[in-house]
Amino acid sequence: MIPVANSPFVSSSLCASNDGNLTRIIELKAPTGDSKSSKHQTSGDYSYLLPNFLSSGHLHSSPDAYPTPAPSPSASTKSKLSELVTPATPATKDTFLDYTPDDINSSNEEVKIFYPKVSGHFLSFHLISLEHVKKEYKLRFDVKTNIPNYVNSKFSNVERSYSEFEKLHKYLINAYPECIVPLLPVKETEFASEELAVALIKNGFQLYLSRLSAHPILRRDDELQSFVESNFAYTPRIKTGTLKTTRYKAKALHGEPDPLDAAYESLVSFEKAIVPCNKVVNKMQSARKVMVDSEHELSRQLSNWSEKEKDVLLSRYLCDLIKTVEISSTITQTQNDYEAGHLSYLFTQYHKGTQYIETLLQNRLSVEKEYEKSVETLEKKRQALIVLKASGTTKSDQVQAGIDDFEEAKQFEAYKKTQFQKVDRLLRTELGVNDKTRASDFYEYLGGLAEQTIKAERAKLNSWKEILSGLK
């Protein structure tokens, strides 16, 4: 019996850059061992994957399969960051402290999408609100689409919980082991304030929805359509297995290492580097808390001095100093929470994404093993059929049963070959897009952090300038 096309594949392998940069996963090329794939060596052109994907028998085969990835917008990113570091007006204590969730990472309104538009069909999400109610996040969003299968072109005020998003996400990662599904925003990170948590998670969901709807394969998924159209709580209609993992073993073709093997090593090294970064952020937060507590203690001691000081002018300047120290400590605490929240969130997402891609690459090896096993089985069936036909005592019905058995094994081998080729080739494309997305996310978070830090330092500077002007 041939398994259904929606059953999860199993395989594994990893990628890394040739220049030794462990955080780059780009310019992956198809293995040179296969005569069919060896002629497709240009890393920027993946259009040859389209007929292979459409003929693979995948339940969700779509005419929107892979084209050439869009170029990296490095120039626009640099110009955007240059704008972030030049605030229009000086920040004060009030303007610095009074930020709302919509103000945080507002530069992400134009989400970087590295999947080019390959057809006239589109699916777009607009996140309206995110609320934290009884330890659960509730989201409301609007949807627009012209994909024919949808019952309407517009859906307003669709409401889903974080748990429902988790169900959809779990389905997608198991149903599409050849794709890198965008990551859900993490909610396990401890934030200093509810306002900051909602802001970061809301921003993360907008990124998730934008990238999911831009994916040329995932946006055509039937379950995603059900997720949008369901009038009640969402539950996946299609059941999938779970991605299988195996112990990773590099496999070179004709003595040349597969770039995916180097990628796996790169991901493992990156994971080892990202975990300590999060620990250091926690240390920084603790150290700054001690500093803030010391500033509060200094304010109390200065207040005692001011009350006992007989010189009226000196007492007035002591009050100004107390006010400045209080402003500084308040800004330091707020900036500390902001910085720790942003960096912890980013590093946690990176770590989570790295583990997920490692699983996909390990899964790819298992798919390859299943394909190799099907080849061996087919050969055994062929040999057995030859023996049956050569035997003079074999009945015709036994020969026919042997032929049927061989044909079934032949179909199964063809199916496994198609699945492996699809997983192997599409993952190479997906890893290139994922690398650009990961870099883009870092630029956005760095820009937001730099902007907020400048506002904080400017607010502190303004408070000290007031003292200086008074002394003059």
Side-chain angles (χ1 to χ4, degrees):
M1 177 69 79
I2 299 176
V4 295
N6 192 45
S7 60
F9 319 130
V10 190
S11 152
S12 138
S13 109
L14 290 158
C15 71
S17 65
N18 295 328
D19 61 0
N21 188 344
L22 298 180
T23 64
R24 303 297 294 174
I25 309 175
I26 56 175
E27 298 183 359
L28 298 176
K29 299 181 180 180
T32 57
D34 183 36
S35 60
K36 294 183 179 180
S37 62
S38 60
K39 61 183 178 180
H40 305 296
Q41 294 298 313
T42 304
S43 61
D45 183 10
Y46 295 92
S47 59
Y48 68 91
L49 296 174
L50 179 57
N52 292 327
F53 182 80
L54 293 179
S55 62
S56 64
H58 195 288
L59 182 64
H60 307 284
S61 295
S62 161
D64 286 352
Y66 278 97
T68 303
S72 176
S74 56
S76 61
T77 302
K78 291 180 180 179
S79 63
K80 193 170 189 179
L81 290 180
S82 64
E83 294 174 1
L84 288 175
V85 298
T86 55
T89 57
T92 64
K93 174 186 173 183
D94 294 334
T95 58
F96 174 75
L97 297 177
D98 184 23
Y99 63 84
T100 62
D102 290 335
D103 293 327
I104 299 180
N105 271 4
S106 58
S107 58
N108 272 332
E109 290 177 358
E110 297 181 0
V111 178
K112 297 294 190 305
I113 301 297
F114 300 101
Y115 291 105
K117 187 176 180 180
V118 294
S119 75
H121 293 152
F122 69 88
L123 176 68
S124 64
F125 291 83
H126 174 65
L127 185 58
I128 300 174
S129 66
L130 181 144
E131 297 179 356
H132 196 191
V133 181
K134 295 181 179 179
K135 298 183 179 180
E136 178 67 294
Y137 287 99
K138 299 287 186 179
L139 297 94
R140 288 192 305 109
F141 52 89
D142 294 335
V143 182
K144 293 182 180 180
T145 184
N146 64 349
I147 298 177
N149 292 341
Y150 280 77
V151 296
N152 296 314
S153 60
K154 295 181 180 180
F155 301 86
S156 301
N157 290 317
V158 180
E159 184 174 319
R160 293 288 178 264
S161 66
Y162 190 95
S163 299
E164 291 174 288
F165 272 96
E166 285 181 315
K167 292 177 182 178
L168 174 66
H169 184 71
K170 182 179 180 181
Y171 158 79
L172 290 174
I173 63 176
N174 288 318
Y176 295 93
E178 74 275 20
C179 299
I180 297 179
V181 180
L183 284 178
L184 277 176
V186 294
K187 64 176 182 178
E188 297 83 6
T189 305
E190 295 183 1
F191 297 101
S193 69
E194 179 72 14
E195 185 182 46
L196 182 59
V198 170
L200 287 172
I201 295 175
K202 181 180 179 182
N203 181 70
F205 264 111
Q206 186 60 64
L207 286 172
Y208 175 79
L209 292 171
S210 298
R211 287 169 179 163
L212 183 63
S213 61
H215 197 287
I217 297 175
L218 300 179
R219 69 181 174 194
R220 299 298 297 266
D221 180 74
D222 296 335
E223 278 298 325
L224 179 57
Q225 178 183 346
S226 176
F227 181 81
V228 171
E229 294 181 344
S230 296
N231 294 325
F232 305 101
Y234 165 76
T235 301
R237 301 169 301 174
I238 304 173
K239 293 184 178 180
T240 61
T242 303
L243 285 178
K244 298 178 182 178
T245 58
T246 182
R247 184 175 180 180
Y248 190 84
K249 294 182 181 179
K251 185 175 182 180
L253 298 174
H254 301 289
E256 297 181 5
D258 190 326
L260 292 180
D261 294 336
Y264 186 86
E265 297 174 1
S266 173
L267 287 170
V268 172
S269 299
F270 179 68
E271 183 180 2
K272 292 180 180 178
I274 203 67
V275 173
C277 290
N278 231 348
K279 293 181 179 179
V280 172
V281 170
N282 293 334
K283 288 183 179 180
M284 290 171 54
Q285 190 175 23
S286 300
R288 287 176 177 172
K289 186 178 183 303
V290 173
M291 178 180 176
V292 170
D293 292 341
S294 298
E295 288 180 330
H296 287 321
E297 176 63 24
L298 176 59
S299 295
R300 288 193 293 269
Q301 297 300 334
L302 289 174
S303 180
N304 292 334
W305 177 7
S306 176
E307 292 175 358
K308 299 176 182 178
E309 178 58 50
K310 297 181 180 180
D311 189 310
V312 177
L313 184 60
L314 179 56
S315 178
R316 193 190 76 182
Y317 281 118
L318 281 172
C319 291
D320 291 343
L321 178 58
I322 294 170
K323 177 183 176 182
T324 301
V325 171
E326 289 177 346
I327 292 175
S328 177
S329 62
T330 303
I331 293 175
T332 299
Q333 180 63 59
T334 305
Q335 178 62 9
N336 183 32
D337 296 341
Y338 184 95
E339 180 181 299
H342 270 62
L343 293 180
S344 295
Y345 182 87
L346 178 64
F347 296 154
T348 301
Q349 284 285 84
Y350 272 4
H351 186 212
K352 187 177 178 182
T354 300
Q355 292 178 321
Y356 165 52
I357 297 174
E358 285 178 5
T359 300
L360 284 180
L361 292 172
Q362 290 170 349
N363 185 73
R364 171 188 164 275
L365 280 189
S366 298
V367 173
E368 184 178 20
K369 288 181 179 179
E370 288 186 354
Y371 165 56
E372 293 173 347
K373 185 177 179 180
S374 69
V375 173
E376 295 175 1
T377 301
L378 179 62
E379 179 61 23
K380 290 179 181 179
K381 299 290 184 182
R382 188 182 71 83
Q383 295 292 342
L385 182 59
I386 292 175
V387 172
L388 278 175
K389 290 182 176 180
S391 176
T393 60
T394 305
K395 297 180 180 180
S396 60
D397 58 340
Q398 291 178 319
V399 174
Q400 185 60 45
I403 293 175
D404 293 341
D405 198 21
F406 172 75
E407 288 298 326
E408 184 177 356
K410 186 177 180 180
Q411 292 179 23
F412 184 74
E413 184 272 342
Y415 166 77
K416 284 297 179 182
K417 180 179 180 180
T418 300
Q419 300 293 26
F420 168 66
Q421 288 179 339
K422 181 173 63 174
V423 171
D424 182 73
R425 289 174 177 173
L426 290 184
L427 272 181
R428 297 170 191 275
T429 304
E430 290 283 297
L431 285 167
V433 174
N434 179 74
D435 184 66
K436 295 176 182 178
T437 300
R438 186 168 56 88
S440 175
D441 287 346
F442 181 81
Y443 301 151
E444 294 293 346
Y445 275 86
L446 180 60
L449 182 60
E451 181 183 37
Q452 194 73 4
T453 300
I454 290 173
K455 289 171 64 178
E457 295 303 322
R458 183 162 291 173
K460 291 181 182 179
L461 181 62
N462 287 341
S463 64
W464 285 102
K465 282 183 176 180
E466 290 181 4
I467 290 183
L468 184 61
S469 61
L471 290 173
K472 293 180 179 179

